[in-house]
Amino acid sequence: MDVDLDYEAFRAVMGSFASGVAVVTTRTPAGEPYGLTCSSVCSVSADPPLLLACIRTPSRTLDVLRESGVFAVNFLDAHGREISRRFAGPVQDKFDGVPWRPGTARGVPVLDRVLAHAECSIQQLIDAGDHVVVIGLLVGGDVDRSRSPLGYWRGSYMQVYRMDQPGSIRVEVPEIVEPHGVGDAEMVVELGFGLERIGL
Ligand SMILES: Cc1cc2nc3c(=O)[nH]c(=O)nc-3n(C[C@H](O)[C@H](O)[C@H](O)COP(=O)(O)O)c2cc1C
């Protein structure tokens, strides 16, 4: 079977699973911050509290993370598209102009204006194909319940609203999706109007 075809099929299938967007951060022993945009983050265990992030190799952030043994996962809110792009790009100093502070548990960079952050110490690193699965033990964190998440689905950023609180549903079609293709845009706009009908 054609390898490229396999890769496209894999991307199409896995891209169908909607996620949030996070910035995984770490620091050198001297305190210099590093980070990357990461959507492959998931909860692993409640007791002990473990989460994972999958990081593609090579990665500057992963190199520093291996050395420091600590990292933070910063969950972006609906206004976080620019931050997401910045931490996914080839920018030399990704933190330039981005407000952040050292986390209280391990001094790992915590971004301002995020939904929540988790400070972690590395529990396990597992090589898996072209990625490394980083499993972290939660050692600190915080949640801001006033914010709503930035979503990511089939290569587009999304706004996400709660369906169990109809009054809070806000439909701003141009903001709902940043289309990469007309097909996706049509699909999401339809969904947006659907939510509006259910909610009001
Ligand atoms: C929405 C989005 C999600 C991403 N998710 C991941 C991911 O889960 N794992 C990963 O390794 N890279 C992911 N990336 C790509 C990295 O952010 C990108 O390769 C980054 O430049 C790596 O930075 P570094 O080499 O400085 O560590 C994602 C990018 C975007 C825009």
Side-chain angles (χ1 to χ4, degrees):
M1 193 182 276
D2 190 305
V3 173
D4 286 344
L5 194 68
D6 273 351
Y7 178 64
E8 286 310 317
F10 177 73
R11 275 173 58 103
V13 170
M14 295 312 296
S16 299
F17 189 54
S19 69
V21 183
V23 173
V24 173
T25 56
T26 188
R27 53 155 175 82
T28 63
E32 191 185 353
Y34 282 79
L36 87 165
T37 302
C38 189
S39 56
S40 52
V41 171
C42 114
S43 156
V44 173
S45 157
D47 184 16
L50 301 175
L51 58 77
L52 69 76
C54 297
I55 302 182
R56 185 177 190 144
T57 55
S59 153
R60 290 183 299 168
T61 308
L62 182 62
D63 294 344
V64 176
L65 192 150
R66 283 182 196 276
E67 198 186 346
S68 68
V70 289
F71 66 99
V73 181
N74 297 266
F75 295 102
L76 297 183
D77 82 351
H79 302 288
R81 273 185 298 180
E82 268 318 304
I83 299 280
S84 170
R85 288 197 192 101
R86 184 175 184 87
F87 280 86
V91 186
Q92 193 54 35
D93 182 4
K94 296 181 179 179
F95 287 81
D96 189 25
V98 177
W100 66 276
R101 62 192 182 279
T104 51
R106 293 290 185 276
V108 195
V110 174
L111 306 187
D112 286 2
R113 300 194 290 271
V114 289
L115 285 182
H117 77 270
E119 273 191 273
C120 301
S121 61
I122 294 179
Q123 175 94 0
Q124 209 177 336
L125 293 173
I126 303 165
D127 289 331
D130 56 7
H131 280 59
V132 171
V133 183
V134 180
I135 299 183
L137 174 71
L138 197 85
V139 292
D142 200 8
V143 177
D144 179 347
R145 293 183 197 280
S146 69
R147 296 177 184 276
S148 61
L150 180 64
Y152 196 66
W153 179 69
R154 293 188 174 161
S156 295
Y157 293 104
M158 314 270 295
Q159 284 192 16
V160 181
Y161 299 102
R162 298 186 62 150
M163 296 177 78
D164 61 350
Q165 290 181 1
S168 73
I169 291 174
R170 188 164 52 90
V171 179
E172 291 173 26
V173 172
E175 291 296 323
I176 285 177
V177 64
E178 178 189 303
H180 283 199
V182 172
D184 278 359
E186 279 172 354
M187 196 181 302
V188 177
V189 168
E190 229 175 70
L191 179 65
F193 287 127
L195 286 176
E196 189 177 39
R197 274 201 301 276
I198 293 165
L200 299 178

